Amino acid sequence: MAKGEGAESGSAAGLLPTGILQAGERPVQVKESKKKNQLSICNKLCYAVGGTPYQVTGCALGFFLQIYLLDVAQVDPFSASIILFVGRAWDAITDPLVGFCISKSPWTRLGRLMPWIIFSTPLAIIAYFLIWFVPDFQQGQTLWYLLFYCLFETLVTCFHVPYSALTMFISTEQSERDSATAYRMTVEVLGTVLGTAIQGQIVGQAHTPCVQDANASTVALEGVNRTQSATSLRETQNAYLLAAGVIASIYVICAVILTLGVREQREPYETQQAKPMPFFRGLRLVMSHGPYIKLIAGFLFTSLAFMLVEGNFALFCTYTLGFRNEFQNLLLAIMFSATVTIPIWQWFLTRFGKKMAVYIGISSAVPFLILVALMESNLIVTYVVAVAAGISVAAAFLLPWSMLPDVIDDFHLKQPHIHGTEPIFFSFYVFFTKFASGVSLGISTLSLDFTGYQTRGCSQPARVKFTLKMLVTMAPIVLILIGLLLFKLYPIDEEKRRQNKKALQALREEASSSGCSDTDSTELARIL
């Protein structure tokens, strides 16, 4: 490590002329800057808690919305596929739209990002609650769920896009941002555990066991193959509403903690700009930045793999593996394992580099997916696989948000006079992943319709079980392998990241120095 630090200092010193980097002045300024931008544990925890609302609601929707629409709201599979696809596609579209609006937002006493978080929260929890409410009418149910699903996704985007961009404004120190990101990912995975526990355990208690009768006639089976009476169905619907109320309360509490515990910091060189960057010019610059395109391309496929597993896991456990009363506990095993291993992956990426963490962490899911595809239904083995799969889930949670700030830093060095593009970077990354997720969920639900899925059935035809197995195992394996191949093209390794860190720190010091002239700033930007 000492050798790396020495090389780092030498390369940084070589970037700048002696007229700009004066010995005797910079060491003091560096220490003062680092001390000013250090975050306390309380600040990091308050920032991390802000990621919980998106994860706890997203987890509940991702794991349970499909089975809720099919078996509780009794929406037909084709209409359910429309709801899931359009909802996710609209969610994807809102990300760049919100990013555009944020980039045009002025700085206020609360900052530029915080007002979005504050004012979207109360409306979001109302829309979320109505998603889990079953209306009395049957004719317009599809429109009901589509309307409130799209409305909630819009409002939660108004929360999450500014929160994601907040990573760049809690500190100008890269190490502090990486540390805060690790706190955030740990708390977010805890949020998924919390969402899984609340939704799964409350809803799981309301389900009535199925009645299996292999010797019954086809007509008799059709009558028996309905899992719930009208009374028990109403109890299940009430259980979903109770879980929604608890999750909505958590959403509000976490938003309050984030608002009170975190303060935005403006970049020193940003305050010197005459006017903000026009959105479409900023978009062209962002989308022409090579490292960003390669990063989101890789994570697009790996995220899509995990989203396929997430969206179909409940149905897979219920019908293919036959663990109707265990799938919520299997989800808890996965998320608890991911929570425990997040700090391990944070240590790994600081010790061996982020690209190495991508290769090792995400590829570790492949053997376990193969095992699930090949094994017979065995509860003990399934729990072992669930715990092991959580290790890969932790890497998939942590790495994208840890690597995006590196891409933005690289962009700032190449475009030192451009600012206000952070929301564009984050929102378009989320746009691509969400749109792909919508396509995958729509196609997977539609494929269940084509293979003969029976709404609220105790069992499903063999072709439905096979389709679910392919959606949860083989399709994610192919997507992961494609994503890992694309990561080979990503250019920011650890050496490049260290060089960027030193050069960017020099840029910030030069911009914040009171004795810096416009000529020196122009020269510094030209050299960088």
Side-chain angles (χ1 to χ4, degrees):
M1 293 299 292
K3 182 178 179 181
E5 290 172 359
E8 189 176 315
S9 300
S11 63
L15 286 172
L16 302 174
T18 55
I20 296 178
L21 182 62
Q22 297 177 1
E25 293 182 3
R26 293 301 178 211
V28 175
Q29 293 179 1
V30 169
K31 291 180 180 179
E32 290 178 352
S33 176
K34 286 186 176 180
K35 184 176 180 180
K36 178 182 177 181
N37 291 291
Q38 282 182 345
L39 299 174
S40 67
I41 294 178
C42 181
N43 292 140
K44 294 176 184 178
L45 286 174
C46 290
Y47 166 72
V49 165
T52 304
Y54 181 78
Q55 294 300 333
V56 72
T57 55
C59 179
L61 291 169
F63 281 121
F64 292 93
L65 183 59
Q66 186 185 49
I67 196 171
Y68 165 80
L69 291 173
L70 293 173
D71 288 357
V72 179
Q74 302 181 49
V75 177
D76 65 272
F78 179 77
S79 297
S81 68
I82 296 298
I83 294 170
L84 293 172
F85 169 70
V86 175
R88 288 295 182 98
W90 173 252
D91 184 24
I93 293 171
T94 58
D95 283 286
L97 291 177
V98 171
F100 169 76
C101 295
I102 292 174
S103 68
K104 295 295 185 180
S105 300
W107 280 84
T108 67
R109 185 172 59 86
L110 297 174
R112 187 172 64 181
L113 305 174
M114 280 298 182
W116 288 83
I117 294 172
I118 294 170
F119 293 112
S120 66
T121 296
L123 298 175
I125 61 174
I126 295 173
Y128 178 78
F129 186 81
L130 292 175
I131 291 174
W132 303 103
F133 177 77
V134 180
D136 294 333
F137 49 86
Q138 292 287 331
Q139 190 68 27
Q141 267 195 344
T142 301
L143 183 60
W144 172 280
Y145 289 113
L146 187 59
L147 172 64
F148 287 108
Y149 188 28
C150 291
L151 179 60
F152 171 74
E153 294 294 357
T154 302
L155 293 167
V156 80
T157 297
C158 292
F159 182 102
H160 190 62
V161 168
Y163 172 74
S164 299
L166 191 61
T167 306
M168 301 301 299
F169 296 97
I170 56 175
S171 176
T172 58
E173 281 294 317
Q174 187 184 72
S175 59
E176 290 296 303
R177 295 201 305 258
D178 286 344
S179 177
T181 299
Y183 276 79
R184 170 190 167 186
M185 292 303 126
T186 303
V187 174
E188 285 191 354
V189 176
L190 282 172
T192 63
V193 173
L194 192 61
T196 303
I198 293 171
Q199 192 84 9
Q201 298 303 317
I202 293 178
V203 171
Q205 297 299 321
H207 278 295
T208 303
C210 276
V211 178
Q212 299 287 353
D213 187 0
N215 298 320
S217 65
T218 304
V219 176
L221 271 175
E222 187 174 347
V224 172
N225 201 21
R226 300 301 176 205
T227 59
Q228 297 158 316
S229 65
T231 302
S232 61
L233 179 61
R234 175 57 62 184
E235 291 175 355
T236 303
Q237 293 170 355
N238 291 336
Y240 273 97
L241 286 177
L242 176 60
V246 175
I247 289 176
S249 302
I250 294 172
Y251 193 118
V252 174
I253 293 171
C254 293
V256 170
I257 292 173
L258 172 66
T259 303
L260 298 178
V262 176
R263 176 175 295 181
E264 292 181 55
Q265 298 183 26
R266 301 184 72 171
E267 290 279 14
Y269 56 81
E270 181 181 343
T271 59
Q272 298 178 358
Q273 306 300 315
K275 59 182 180 179
M277 165 66 57
F279 176 78
F280 290 105
R281 184 189 170 198
L283 178 60
R284 286 195 299 270
L285 290 172
V286 167
M287 299 309 295
S288 63
H289 190 55
Y292 179 66
I293 296 300
K294 293 166 184 174
L295 182 71
I296 63 173
F299 278 121
L300 176 64
F301 285 94
T302 56
S303 299
L304 184 55
F306 287 100
M307 289 174 185
L308 268 177
V309 176
E310 177 189 72
N312 296 282
F313 188 79
L315 294 174
F316 174 72
C317 290
T318 300
Y319 296 117
T320 303
L321 297 181
F323 302 142
R324 176 176 293 274
N325 298 319
E326 291 291 335
F327 77 87
Q328 64 267 24
N329 298 323
L330 289 167
L331 290 177
L332 279 176
I334 293 173
M335 294 307 172
F336 181 77
S337 172
T339 304
V340 172
T341 52
I342 281 280
I344 299 174
W345 284 118
Q346 174 64 19
W347 169 83
F348 187 94
L349 67 87
T350 56
R351 179 67 177 84
F352 298 102
K354 297 180 182 180
K355 287 188 71 173
M356 182 62 68
V358 168
Y359 296 138
I360 300 298
I362 295 180
S363 65
S364 64
V366 173
F368 301 110
L369 292 174
I370 294 174
L371 181 60
V372 171
L374 298 178
M375 74 176 186
E376 297 294 330
S377 179
N378 184 298
L379 185 58
I380 296 177
V381 174
T382 304
Y383 269 104
V384 173
V385 171
V387 171
I391 299 173
S392 186
V393 171
F397 263 85
L398 175 64
L399 290 167
W401 302 109
S402 180
M403 298 172 75
L404 270 173
D406 298 337
V407 172
I408 297 174
D409 285 344
D410 186 73
F411 177 83
H412 283 161
L413 286 174
K414 294 177 180 178
Q415 305 286 346
H417 293 297
I418 304 300
H419 69 90
T421 56
E422 291 84 1
I424 300 176
F425 275 100
F426 285 100
S427 63
F428 269 86
Y429 165 71
V430 179
F431 165 78
F432 288 117
T433 55
K434 284 182 178 179
F435 187 82
S437 171
V439 172
S440 69
L441 277 177
I443 292 176
S444 62
T445 308
L446 200 59
S447 66
L448 295 179
D449 185 31
F450 290 153
T451 53
Y453 181 87
Q454 298 178 8
T455 302
R456 294 176 58 207
C458 284
S459 62
Q460 298 293 338
R463 58 184 179 273
V464 173
K465 297 179 181 179
F466 177 78
T467 301
L468 286 169
K469 178 174 283 192
M470 292 299 100
L471 290 172
V472 173
T473 57
M474 299 310 299
I477 289 173
V478 173
L479 292 169
I480 286 174
L481 294 178
I482 294 174
L484 292 178
L485 288 175
L486 290 173
F487 277 119
K488 293 289 291 182
L489 304 175
Y490 179 65
I492 302 179
D493 54 16
E494 289 306 295
E495 181 181 357
K496 176 69 172 176
R497 195 167 70 91
R498 287 193 295 265
Q499 292 175 354
N500 286 352
K501 176 183 176 181
K502 287 294 184 180
L504 193 61
Q505 182 62 41
L507 177 62
R508 290 178 178 131
E509 291 164 9
E510 187 64 29
S512 60
S513 174
S514 59
C516 179
S517 66
D518 291 339
T519 303
D520 287 341
S521 297
T522 304
E523 177 68 10
L524 179 66
R526 184 188 64 79
I527 294 170
L528 290 173

